[in-house]
Amino acid sequence: MPGPTPGCPEMSLPPLLLLLPLLTSKPAGATLIRIPLRRVYTGSGPLNPLRGWGNAQEPLRLGGPSPGGNSTFVSLSNFLNAQYYGTIGLGTPPQNFSVVFDTGSSNLWVPSKRCYFFSLPCWFHNRFNANASSSFKPNGTKFAIQYGTGRLSGILSEDKLTIGGTMGASVMFGEALWEPSLVFTFALPDGILGLGFPILAVDGVQPPLDSLVDQGALDKPVFSFYLNRDPAVVDGGELVLGGSDPAHYIPPLTYVPVTVPAYWQIHMERVKVGTGLTLCAQGCAAILDTGTSLITGPWEEIRALHKAIGGFALLRGEHLIQCSKISTLPPISFNLGGVWFNLTAQDYVLQITLGGVRVCLSGFGALDVPPPEGPFWILGDVFLRSYVAVFDRGNGKEGARVGLARARPPGS
């Protein structure tokens, strides 16, 4: 080995000084980008979920912190206490759109400047103008998506995606030309960005998350949701692409394997209402879905649940709860991965104000899904406001999984 350079005395730095640059420097590709968005809170009641269930092109198959990894943060806003959405950009320069980040679908679409004249939702939302983008690449393939509460059709196009301040990945997306469903007219977001598995993508289009990973914008297909439940604050929460933020939850994360890599479906061992009622007694399927506002389950089981908590049925399937009895209602607990995830009545009762009067509604709804896909429960925003979910698509060696941990209270 060569000795010290002549004329340059050999220096021995204290270990702490040698370590200091490592502690103060940021690892390559680990930039965290946060975009604060304003919460729009109207005080209205929960809407029927405008969720994304894109039709799969083939039958459904059964089947923690990320140091040093790319992570991109996109703040979310609450929509009518039922929808969380954020802003993305498409094109060069970016044209901004508000979209629902939906784990129950896998396509990205926004209204088009070329939409049909009688497509009413186009006139109430931002529309993509291909002629105003220098990076636009036409495709022209026709697409159509049928959702649970609406449908739309249009053409596929390709352009640059800006998300959380990060720009550069090219994505295939839908330009909606025809939106005949009124639900899109009254929805505040412009479109939907799906975060489900590729099998759900209509026309085999590569989902946006896969495009971001393949083109180096993200290290791995992992994302997490923190949904702020406090309507008094501006921030509605955060979607973290590429990892998770430990400041959002109370460790540890409990990981549960995905059993059907289409929707984010996992196995739920059982559900308990207080100490007197057990549901899903033999185990059942559960789907974590950011595009569903409530927690849903089979009709018979939800009926028994509402009987146990004293819910009164309303006309649209919603159940009224006596506000004065919230403090006496039992906890409702979900056993996932061998761990109990508890919701108090403060968690599962939606408290809204109508005409100056406080009204309390159950956060549970009935939904019967026939075999072979069903029956299953959906753990929607009522659950995800209390528990941060880390969605990990896995890799060739490890399968997909979902990590769950109690969300930190706002301001903690």
Side-chain angles (χ1 to χ4, degrees):
M1 293 179 63
T5 303
C8 295
E10 190 173 19
M11 299 179 66
S12 177
L13 294 176
L16 181 59
L17 293 180
L18 291 172
L19 186 61
L20 188 60
L22 298 177
L23 296 175
T24 56
S25 62
K26 294 181 179 180
T31 302
L32 305 182
I33 303 172
R34 300 173 184 260
I35 302 176
L37 297 179
R38 188 170 185 269
R39 179 197 293 274
V40 177
Y41 179 74
T42 65
S44 300
L47 298 177
N48 288 331
L50 183 159
R51 36 168 296 169
W53 311 241
N55 290 334
Q57 296 303 297
E58 53 184 292
L60 300 182
R61 299 191 186 99
L62 295 179
S66 175
N70 271 355
S71 296
T72 297
F73 289 76
V74 179
S75 295
L76 306 175
S77 294
N78 187 290
F79 174 46
L80 291 178
N81 228 8
Q83 290 294 326
Y84 292 81
Y85 61 94
T87 299
I88 64 168
L90 286 170
T92 307
Q95 302 172 41
N96 289 336
F97 300 90
S98 59
V99 295
V100 173
F101 293 98
D102 177 28
T103 59
S105 65
S106 299
N107 288 86
L108 166 61
W109 66 266
V110 296
S112 174
K113 191 77 173 179
R114 297 175 283 179
C115 64
Y116 301 149
F117 181 81
F118 292 106
S119 183
L120 195 59
C122 281
W123 305 105
F124 292 93
H125 293 89
N126 295 316
R127 295 177 289 166
F128 178 75
N129 184 357
N131 294 329
S133 173
S134 61
S135 53
F136 173 76
K137 295 180 181 179
N139 180 285
T141 302
K142 294 181 180 180
F143 82 96
I145 303 179
Q146 177 70 52
Y147 290 98
T149 51
R151 59 189 176 92
L152 62 108
S153 60
I155 57 173
L156 296 177
S157 297
E158 183 178 347
D159 214 328
K160 301 290 186 180
L161 171 67
T162 298
I163 185 166
T166 298
M167 179 182 178
S170 294
V171 295
M172 191 74 69
F173 67 99
E175 289 190 62
L177 303 178
W178 177 238
E179 300 174 59
S181 305
L182 285 179
V183 65
F184 294 124
T185 303
F186 299 112
L188 188 57
D190 301 310
I192 292 177
L193 189 151
L195 290 168
F197 287 78
I199 191 176
L200 291 182
V202 170
D203 292 332
V205 172
Q206 186 179 48
L209 183 68
D210 296 69
S211 299
L212 291 169
V213 174
D214 287 353
Q215 297 175 48
L218 295 176
D219 283 345
K220 49 190 175 181
V222 180
F223 60 94
S224 59
F225 276 90
Y226 166 68
L227 306 183
N228 195 334
R229 57 179 294 170
D230 186 355
V233 300
V234 172
D235 184 16
E238 281 184 329
L239 161 65
V240 184
L241 297 176
S244 61
D245 183 357
H248 288 159
Y249 57 84
I250 301 171
L253 285 164
T254 297
Y255 280 98
V256 185
V258 170
T259 55
V260 179
Y263 305 106
W264 288 90
Q265 182 170 321
I266 60 177
H267 178 74
M268 185 160 65
E269 277 130 44
R270 57 191 182 280
V271 179
K272 293 180 68 175
V273 183
T275 58
L277 176 63
T278 298
L279 306 172
C280 175
Q282 304 302 317
C284 57
I287 291 174
L288 291 124
D289 185 14
T290 60
T292 296
S293 58
L294 306 180
I295 297 173
T296 73
W299 188 87
E300 285 289 346
E301 295 198 295
I302 296 299
R303 183 178 67 86
L305 182 150
H306 280 133
K307 183 177 180 180
I309 64 174
F312 299 94
L314 300 178
L315 291 178
R316 296 190 303 170
E318 297 162 342
H319 281 71
L320 192 68
I321 303 291
Q322 289 186 3
C323 297
S324 61
K325 293 188 176 181
I326 289 180
S327 62
T328 66
L329 295 181
I332 299 178
S333 306
F334 305 81
N335 193 296
L336 304 165
V339 175
W340 286 104
F341 293 86
N342 305 315
L343 296 183
T344 67
Q346 293 289 341
D347 298 323
Y348 65 76
V349 174
L350 306 175
Q351 302 183 51
I352 61 177
T353 302
L354 296 174
V357 178
R358 185 167 68 123
V359 177
C360 297
L361 296 172
S362 166
F364 291 87
L367 178 64
D368 279 322
V369 180
E373 288 82 10
F376 53 70
W377 288 63
I378 298 176
L379 305 181
D381 295 340
V382 168
F383 181 85
L384 295 172
R385 279 195 288 268
S386 296
Y387 292 95
V388 167
V390 180
F391 299 84
D392 185 350
R393 286 265 300 273
N395 51 43
K397 297 180 181 179
E398 299 178 349
R401 60 182 185 168
V402 176
L404 296 169
R406 187 79 191 189
R408 291 191 186 274
S412 65

